[in-house]
Amino acid sequence: APNLALVRGRGTKVWDADGKVYLDFVSGIAVVNAGHCHPRVVEAIREQVGTLMHVSNLYYTENEARLAEKLSKLAYEGKGKCFFCNSGAEANEGLIKLARLWGNPEGRYEIICMDNSFHGRTLATAAATGQEKVRTGFEPMPEGFRHAAYNDLEAVRAQVNEKTAAVLLEVVQGEGGVIPAEAAFVQGLRALCDEKNLLLLCDEVQCGMGRTGRWFAFQHYDVLPDAFCLAKALGSGYPIGAVVAGPKLAETFSAGKHASTFGGTPPACAAALATLDVIERERLVKRAETIGRQLRERLEPLVAKYEHVTEVRGAGLMLGLVMDRPVKPLCSRLTEMGLLTLATAERVVRLLPPLNVKEAEISEGLEILDEALAELHGAAPAEEEKEA
Ligand code: PLP
């Protein structure tokens, strides 16, 4: 239900059709981590579309090989393999199929997913998603998915049976309301998966690509999943998704088992390679951690200042300001005042600025937020103030 027509973007700023400028703390929902239209990314795409646009996966292309090598190095010391597709849902579908293919010889196909999770809107990923509203009206859902309470290891353990193949989780739930997993939970899941010979799969579609202050959010936990998926920020807005499989699963997909006509086209991989290059050159992973900490420290006083603000949570530059009431009216007011934010899980204002957001832009965004909170949720002015 859009209410704004945007025509141009640069860095953290976007312009609407009337020429009004906005600070963008949505980043296309965690997509433009390197800022809107980063010149290096734009140039890489421009050059590639004039050289070779598409050949299908019947052939090798250099960009695809280089991108797979890079992602494998970032996560698995070069011992992983990648499959490229076009979106987060498709990447999760790939993970699900990978887990099923792995479990198939023993008749194992079930995947334990978390309550409140979000994995996409295709039928299988909607079935994996732990939110009823995503499934309602589309039943019957594909079978093979169980759900357990997030951050509750015993609840996950209770769902394991002879058909279980894998556990799938976002280590920071995004759509669910910016909820980080507890370290003991993630580490406990790894141990549980090892004990029962299950796969641990991570959905890094939203929390990956430096957003939380690590290349991949699972890297905060000292835990390595058997495979994970990426999309969103991987191509800075040029559609691309990836399944990155570690050594245990690297040989599970053989040629012809899974495919996508448009997966990993030369321009998509050029966009992703340029994005990775910018993130490295501008040290944006570290920056997400330091600027994220600053933003968080400046958001926290709002909890004491405004009665209805209850909590600030998240990791790096993936932050949520939690309120005790719906935040849509606040987010609408923020948009009018020139700050784009996202209302999530009813009561959470999700803040996802580009990782190269300037400190001055953080200050400006905070001023707007404070002003809007004062206007909508501030204490009623004292009598004498009112008279004055
Ligand atoms: N997984 C997570 C964690 C997401 O946040 C999203 C989208 O918000 C998806 C998967 C689905 O990605 P897409 O919309 O590209 O299909």
Side-chain angles (χ1 to χ4, degrees):
N3 58 2
L4 209 58
L6 299 173
V7 295
R8 190 158 68 87
R10 190 75 175 188
T12 303
K13 296 206 167 83
V14 287
W15 284 261
D16 73 11
D18 298 322
K20 181 174 169 184
V21 63
Y22 300 81
L23 265 183
D24 184 3
F25 281 18
V26 176
S27 297
I29 318 187
V31 168
V32 295
N33 284 10
H36 287 280
C37 296
H38 193 290
R40 281 184 180 272
V41 178
V42 172
E43 195 40 48
I45 297 168
R46 272 209 181 110
E47 198 185 315
Q48 189 58 56
V49 293
T51 307
L52 185 68
M53 231 192 279
H54 180 77
V55 292
S56 88
N57 57 15
L58 294 171
Y59 310 97
Y60 282 115
T61 58
E62 187 184 342
N63 288 351
E64 195 174 26
R66 283 175 55 216
L67 180 59
E69 181 178 41
K70 182 84 198 164
L71 293 174
S72 165
K73 275 188 183 151
L74 287 174
Y76 293 115
E77 295 172 341
K79 296 178 192 131
K81 281 197 176 177
C82 295
F83 169 79
F84 295 113
C85 53
N86 311 280
S87 70
E90 210 187 320
N92 273 302
E93 287 269 352
L95 265 190
I96 293 163
K97 285 182 72 179
L98 187 65
R100 285 197 175 191
L101 200 59
W102 176 82
N104 196 266
E106 293 174 17
R108 298 203 275 146
Y109 61 92
E110 280 190 1
I111 300 183
I112 303 173
C113 310
M114 302 303 134
D115 288 344
N116 201 42
S117 58
F118 186 85
H119 299 295
R121 290 181 183 272
T122 60
L123 281 173
T125 58
T129 291
Q131 300 185 39
E132 204 50 51
K133 65 175 193 231
V134 172
R135 295 192 286 263
T136 303
F138 301 104
E139 299 87 351
M141 283 287 121
E143 63 168 314
F145 301 92
R146 288 171 172 263
H147 291 87
Y150 190 54
N151 278 329
D152 185 342
L153 189 59
E154 289 318 305
V156 177
R157 186 186 290 276
Q159 294 292 341
V160 177
N161 64 38
E162 70 287 352
K163 292 190 229 131
T164 312
V167 175
L168 169 65
L169 89 158
E170 304 155 84
V171 298
V172 184
Q173 289 188 336
E175 303 299 308
V178 194
I179 310 175
E182 287 159 15
F185 178 61
V186 180
Q187 286 157 6
L189 281 181
R190 180 67 274 179
L192 176 68
C193 289
D194 291 343
E195 177 196 327
K196 307 273 186 194
N197 190 25
L198 311 176
L199 303 173
L200 181 64
L201 310 174
C202 284
D203 179 343
E204 290 271 336
V205 167
Q206 186 161 152
C207 58
M209 296 301 293
R211 170 68 44 198
T212 69
R214 296 286 184 278
W215 271 108
F216 311 115
F218 61 74
Q219 291 170 333
H220 284 285
Y221 296 86
D222 245 346
V223 151
L224 206 52
D226 297 300
F228 66 98
C229 66
L230 294 169
K232 286 192 183 277
L234 181 57
S236 287
Y238 201 107
I240 178 167
V243 176
V244 188
K248 184 167 178 169
L249 292 170
E251 306 302 328
T252 303
F253 275 155
S254 52
K257 270 293 176 200
H258 190 51
S260 159
T261 295
F262 290 127
T265 61
C269 292
L273 284 166
T275 302
L276 289 159
D277 184 47
V278 168
I279 293 175
E280 272 179 345
R281 276 169 190 263
E282 299 186 12
R283 298 189 170 83
L284 297 184
V285 179
K286 187 78 198 150
R287 193 177 160 79
E289 186 171 40
T290 49
I291 295 282
R293 193 178 310 122
Q294 281 176 30
L295 176 57
R296 191 184 182 128
E297 282 169 7
R298 293 176 69 184
L299 285 167
E300 265 156 8
L302 301 177
V303 177
K305 188 168 176 186
Y306 297 103
E307 190 190 342
H308 303 302
V309 177
T310 58
E311 189 189 351
V312 178
R313 65 186 178 213
L317 276 172
M318 183 172 179
L319 293 171
L321 184 83
V322 189
M323 296 194 63
D324 64 2
R325 56 200 53 215
V327 297
K328 269 223 169 101
L330 174 65
C331 292
S332 300
R333 184 68 189 118
L334 287 169
T335 301
E336 282 169 14
M337 293 168 78
L339 176 65
L340 304 186
T341 59
L342 207 56
T344 308
E346 282 273 311
R347 297 183 299 104
V348 184
V349 182
R350 195 164 21 152
L351 302 167
L352 305 160
L355 310 186
N356 50 9
V357 58
K358 299 189 180 93
E359 286 179 36
E361 291 167 333
I362 290 278
S363 297
E364 196 186 329
L366 281 162
E367 271 168 38
I368 298 173
L369 180 59
D370 194 19
E371 210 178 302
L373 279 167
E375 189 184 302
L376 297 182
H377 301 290
E383 279 310 305
E384 53 281 20
E385 262 185 298
K386 265 194 213 158
E387 276 158 24

